[in-house]
Every structure is written in structure tokens, then in C-alpha cells.
Amino acid sequence: MKNNKGYRNSEGTESVSQAAKLAVIAGAITTLGDALATIAAGLALEDELKEIKSKNNDMDKLQKQIDDLNYEMKQLKKMFR
């Protein structure tokens, strides 16, 4: 009878040990998932900033073209007066 109890305790301890191992593995996977999500968010932010910078650069180019055209129009007006 003592052997049965001893066996049950060993099995119970083994079950708790497996549960603890699974909990550690689950925690590690969750941490890895959170890290990947953080990296993905950082990459998305970086892409967004590049896109904004590109749009600003395009706007600067357009503004320069408008300024150049205005200058040319003023020069033409002076010529016709």
C-alpha cells in the first residue's frame, strides 16, 4: 500500500513538473511573439517615415518648379511691358 502512495506521489510530481515545463515553454513562446510584434511595429513605423519623407521631398520638388515658373512668368511680363 505504501508503494502505491509512493507511486502516486511520484506521478503527481512528474505531472506538476511537466506542467511547469509547459508553462515555461509557453512563456518563452509568448515573449518571442511579443518581440516579433515589436519588431514588426518598428519596421512599419520606419516604412511610414520613409514614405512621409519621400512625399515631403516630392512636395519640395513641386514647390521649386512652381517657384521657377513664377520667376519665368515675371520675366516674360517684364519683356512685354
Side-chain angles (χ1 to χ4, degrees), residues 27-72:
I29 290 171
T30 300
T31 302
L32 179 60
D34 289 344
L36 290 174
T38 302
I39 291 169
L43 291 173
L45 179 61
E46 187 176 302
D47 287 345
E48 187 69 25
L49 291 174
K50 284 181 183 177
E51 187 176 327
I52 290 170
K53 186 176 181 181
S54 175
K55 286 181 181 180
N56 285 341
N57 193 19
D58 290 345
M59 292 291 285
D60 290 343
K61 287 179 183 178
L62 287 173
Q63 185 61 51
K64 185 177 181 333
Q65 288 177 348
I66 291 170
D67 292 342
D68 290 345
L69 288 172
N70 280 333
Y71 176 77
E72 288 181 28

Side-chain angles (χ1 to χ4, degrees), residues 1-15:
M1 195 164 172
K2 284 186 178 180
N3 286 341
N4 278 344
K5 286 183 179 178
Y7 180 73
R8 287 182 185 164
N9 284 341
S10 175
E11 186 178 296
T13 303
E14 190 174 309
S15 176

Side-chain angles (χ1 to χ4, degrees), residues 70-81:
N70 280 333
Y71 176 77
E72 288 181 28
M73 285 179 59
K74 287 178 185 177
Q75 294 300 321
L76 287 172
K77 282 182 183 178
K78 285 182 183 177
M79 284 176 46
F80 289 115
R81 287 186 184 181

